[in-house]
Amino acid sequence: MKEIILAKYGEIALKGDNRNSFEDMLVKNIKRRLKKIGRFEYSRRQSTIYIEPLEDVDIDTAVKCLKSVFGIGAIQRCAVFEKNFDTVAQNAGEYLRPALSSAKTFKVEAKRSDKSFPLKSPDIQQKLGDVVLDNFPHLGVDVHNPEVTVRLEIRDNGAYLSAERIIGAGGLPVGSSGKALLMLSGGIDSPVAGYMMAKRGLVVDCIHYVSPPYTSDRARMKVEALCEKMTEFCGNTIFYCVPFTEIQEAIRDNCPEEYFTVIMRRLMVKIANKICDRYGYGGIITGESLAQVASQTLQALKCTNAAAEYPVFRPVIGMDKIEITEIARKIDTYETSILPYEDCCTVFSPKHPKTRPSLEEILKAESSFDFDKMVDEAIEKTEVKRFRYGEKTVFID
Ligand code: ATP
Ligand code: MG
C-alpha cells in the first residue's frame, strides 16, 4: 500500500496574488528538512503539498520533522488509492488497523473535491463507516468526540485515506517575511521571542553580547546551545558574539549608576543597528516583557527605542512569565535557559535602577563619554558562527 504525507497550508491558504512565493518558500524549507531522511517527490495542489516517498523511508521520522516547519497547518499521512470506493473498502481494514484496533470510538469524515466521483460525501461517510464497523466490531461511533477520525478525501488525483492528522506548527514559512536579528541572552524570554518571530516568517539570526572575564565561557556556551536548539524551528542560524566588556566598563566609569542598564541596552541596540546595516537585517527582536524589570517599563522602552534605527519586535511584551515559560518548555529551550550562568546584564547592575528614566536624562548621562569608537571596535571584533539544523556541536550541562 502506498503511503504519502500531505502537508496542508495554514495561513498561506489566505494569501492572494503573492501566494506562489509563500508556497515556493515552504516547499524549499520542507525539502531541506527531509533531505536527510530520504528521497521524496513534491507536488502541490488544492492548498496542499504532496510529499511522496520515492524509496523506503521512515515516515514517522519524516512526520516528526515536519511538525516544526512553519507554514504547515496540518500534517496528514495517508494511503493513496485509485478513485474507486470498492478498492478503498478492500484495503481500509489493513491500513487502519494500527490506529483502530485499540481505539474505542471513531467517526468518518469524507470530503469530495472531485465532484465527478459518483458518491456524495454523506454517502461516503455512511458506507465507509459500515466498512470500519465490519472490520472493527468493537468500535462505537462518536460524532462529537471520537478517539480516531477516519478521513477519506476524494481529490483530483486519487482517494486519500487517513486516520492521523497532526496539527502543524502554523505561521508562515521561515524566510517569507525577510530576516531579523534576535538579541539572544541566556534567559528564558529571548529564545521564545525568536521562535515567535520565526513563526511570522522571519529568518532569525542571533546576536549575543559577552563581557569576559565578568561572564564565563560557559555562559557563552549556554547561549550557543540555545541557538542550536532554535534551529529546530528557525532553520540554519548565524550567531554574532560581540565583546562588550570595554563598553560596560566605560558605562560604569562614566555614567550615573541608576542609568546603567538602560544605557547598556541602548548600546546593545546601537551595535545591532550596525550589524543590521552590514548584513541586511530588517528588524531587531528582543525578549522584553512590559514591566518585568526596571529596564522594561514604558519609559525605559522609550529610551531603548530611541536608539533603534530598525523596527524592534517584542513578541512577548504582553505575556507573563508563566505563559513565556510554557512556550519555552514546548520548544525545549527552558532547561538550557535555567542553567545558572551569568549574563552580562547582571554585571555592574545598579542596586536601585531608575524605573522611569526620561530620554533627556539618559542622553545627558551618555554625553559624558563618546561611545561611538568603542561600538565600532566591538563590531570589528565580533565573532561569527553558523549553526545548522540537525547538527549537534555544543555540549553543556
Ligand atoms: P531573557 O529571559 O530573554 O534573558 P530577561 O527577562 O532576563 O530576558 P533582560 O535581561 O532585561 O530580561 O533582557 C531583556 C532583553 O534584552 C532580552 O530578552 C534580550 O533580548 C536582550 N538581552 C539581554 N542580555 C543580552 C545579551 N547578553 N546579549 C544579547 N541580548 C541580550
Ligand atoms: Mg536576561
Side-chain angles (χ1 to χ4, degrees), residues 92-162:
E94 185 192 336
Y95 182 65
L96 298 173
R97 179 149 292 116
L100 291 180
S101 56
S102 58
K104 290 197 175 62
T105 58
F106 82 107
K107 80 167 177 180
V108 175
E109 263 181 27
K111 212 160 133 191
R112 184 185 63 139
S113 49
D114 171 6
K115 301 294 178 204
S116 69
F117 191 73
L119 295 171
K120 292 196 169 138
S121 299
D123 305 328
I124 300 173
Q125 265 159 224
Q126 179 69 46
K127 288 183 68 154
L128 188 56
D130 291 343
V131 171
V132 171
L133 286 169
D134 284 348
N135 280 277
F136 308 98
H138 69 282
L139 284 176
V141 176
D142 182 344
V143 290
H144 299 297
N145 202 9
E147 225 172 285
V148 178
T149 300
V150 173
R151 293 185 169 84
L152 183 63
E153 295 182 38
I154 310 298
R155 293 180 153 242
D156 290 349
N157 49 334
Y160 293 80
L161 179 66
S162 82

Side-chain angles (χ1 to χ4, degrees), residues 191-192 195 229-230 233 326-334:
V192 171
Y195 160 83
K229 284 205 176 272
M230 289 180 60
F233 286 93
E326 224 168 79
I327 300 181
R329 285 188 197 279
K330 185 177 96 177
I331 64 174
D332 193 31
T333 52
Y334 179 76

Side-chain angles (χ1 to χ4, degrees), residues 183-185 187-190 208-209 265 287 292 296 343 345:
M183 289 173 50
L184 182 65
S185 67
I188 297 169
D189 306 333
S190 43
H208 176 63
Y209 306 83
R265 192 83 71 224
Q292 197 188 73
Q296 296 173 25
D343 182 60
C345 279

Side-chain angles (χ1 to χ4, degrees), residues 80-379:
V80 192
F81 303 103
E82 58 180 280
K83 284 188 276 186
N84 173 323
F85 186 81
D86 291 339
T87 310
V88 176
Q90 276 157 26
N91 291 286
E94 185 192 336
Y95 182 65
L96 298 173
R97 179 149 292 116
L100 291 180
S101 56
S102 58
K104 290 197 175 62
T105 58
F106 82 107
K107 80 167 177 180
V108 175
E109 263 181 27
K111 212 160 133 191
R112 184 185 63 139
S113 49
D114 171 6
K115 301 294 178 204
S116 69
F117 191 73
L119 295 171
K120 292 196 169 138
S121 299
D123 305 328
I124 300 173
Q125 265 159 224
Q126 179 69 46
K127 288 183 68 154
L128 188 56
D130 291 343
V131 171
V132 171
L133 286 169
D134 284 348
N135 280 277
F136 308 98
H138 69 282
L139 284 176
V141 176
D142 182 344
V143 290
H144 299 297
N145 202 9
E147 225 172 285
V148 178
T149 300
V150 173
R151 293 185 169 84
L152 183 63
E153 295 182 38
I154 310 298
R155 293 180 153 242
D156 290 349
N157 49 334
Y160 293 80
L161 179 66
S162 82
E164 193 181 346
R165 178 190 280 180
I166 300 160
I167 295 175
L172 293 170
V174 167
S176 62
S177 300
K179 61 178 191 172
L181 195 57
L182 168 66
M183 289 173 50
L184 182 65
S185 67
I188 297 169
D189 306 333
S190 43
V192 171
Y195 160 83
M196 289 176 75
M197 295 317 293
K199 188 170 183 178
R200 295 311 302 157
L202 284 174
V203 167
V204 174
D205 290 334
C206 303
I207 185 163
H208 176 63
Y209 306 83
V210 289
S211 291
Y214 307 105
T215 60
S216 64
D217 275 353
R218 295 230 117 191
R220 172 182 166 159
M221 268 171 74
K222 165 181 162 175
V223 179
E224 290 190 11
L226 284 172
C227 213
E228 194 165 84
K229 284 205 176 272
M230 289 180 60
T231 62
E232 173 73 21
F233 286 93
C234 304
N236 299 346
T237 190
I238 300 173
F239 176 73
Y240 302 93
C241 190
V242 185
F244 205 54
T245 316
E246 285 175 20
I247 290 178
Q248 281 199 286
E249 285 174 342
I251 299 172
R252 179 196 60 191
D253 297 340
N254 296 283
C255 306
E257 183 182 340
E258 57 186 343
Y259 301 126
F260 278 5
T261 316
V262 171
I263 294 177
M264 181 188 67
R265 192 83 71 224
R266 281 170 50 83
L267 283 156
M268 285 181 173
V269 168
K270 286 183 180 179
I271 292 173
N273 286 334
K274 295 202 171 187
I275 298 280
C276 288
D277 291 343
R278 189 179 284 194
Y279 298 104
Y281 296 100
I284 297 169
I285 305 166
T286 80
E288 287 158 318
S289 160
L290 189 65
Q292 197 188 73
V293 288
S295 60
Q296 296 173 25
T297 61
L298 269 187
Q299 293 78 3
L301 292 174
K302 180 180 173 186
C303 297
T304 315
N305 265 15
E309 288 163 17
Y310 287 85
V312 180
F313 301 115
R314 301 182 171 95
V316 305
I317 194 77
M319 294 168 77
D320 64 30
K321 202 74 184 185
I322 296 169
E323 291 167 316
I324 300 171
T325 301
E326 224 168 79
I327 300 181
R329 285 188 197 279
K330 185 177 96 177
I331 64 174
D332 193 31
T333 52
Y334 179 76
E335 294 298 333
T336 307
S337 287
I338 59 170
L339 291 172
Y341 303 115
E342 71 293 348
D343 182 60
C344 72
C345 279
T346 51
V347 176
F348 317 136
S349 82
K351 278 198 191 63
H352 302 290
K354 185 134 190 187
T355 52
R356 294 181 185 175
S358 74
L359 184 55
E360 291 71 35
E361 284 164 11
I362 294 286
L363 292 175
K364 186 159 169 274
E366 277 176 11
S367 65
S368 55
F369 190 81
D370 180 9
F371 288 99
D372 290 353
K373 198 161 151 264
M374 278 191 172
V375 163
D376 289 338
E377 276 169 11
I379 289 171

Side-chain angles (χ1 to χ4, degrees), residues 26-134:
L26 180 57
V27 172
K28 200 169 113 194
N29 293 350
I30 291 176
K31 281 183 178 169
R32 271 201 205 140
R33 274 302 152 96
L34 298 185
K35 205 164 70 191
K36 285 197 181 131
I37 294 170
R39 288 191 310 122
F40 297 86
E41 185 168 272
Y42 299 86
S43 55
R44 54 199 206 206
R45 281 179 295 275
Q46 299 171 303
S47 292
T48 302
I49 296 169
Y50 291 67
I51 305 168
E52 202 171 320
L54 293 175
E55 58 193 5
D56 198 16
V57 300
D58 180 352
I59 298 258
D60 285 337
T61 309
V63 168
K64 192 163 162 265
C65 287
L66 292 174
K67 274 161 75 174
S68 55
V69 177
F70 289 127
I72 300 179
I75 304 157
Q76 211 168 314
R77 56 194 287 180
C78 323
V80 192
F81 303 103
E82 58 180 280
K83 284 188 276 186
N84 173 323
F85 186 81
D86 291 339
T87 310
V88 176
Q90 276 157 26
N91 291 286
E94 185 192 336
Y95 182 65
L96 298 173
R97 179 149 292 116
L100 291 180
S101 56
S102 58
K104 290 197 175 62
T105 58
F106 82 107
K107 80 167 177 180
V108 175
E109 263 181 27
K111 212 160 133 191
R112 184 185 63 139
S113 49
D114 171 6
K115 301 294 178 204
S116 69
F117 191 73
L119 295 171
K120 292 196 169 138
S121 299
D123 305 328
I124 300 173
Q125 265 159 224
Q126 179 69 46
K127 288 183 68 154
L128 188 56
D130 291 343
V131 171
V132 171
L133 286 169
D134 284 348

Side-chain angles (χ1 to χ4, degrees), residues 11-28:
E11 198 174 316
I12 297 179
L14 308 174
K15 294 284 171 199
D17 290 346
N18 55 353
R19 179 164 152 171
N20 246 334
S21 63
F22 288 89
E23 294 179 350
D24 289 345
M25 191 66 82
L26 180 57
V27 172
K28 200 169 113 194

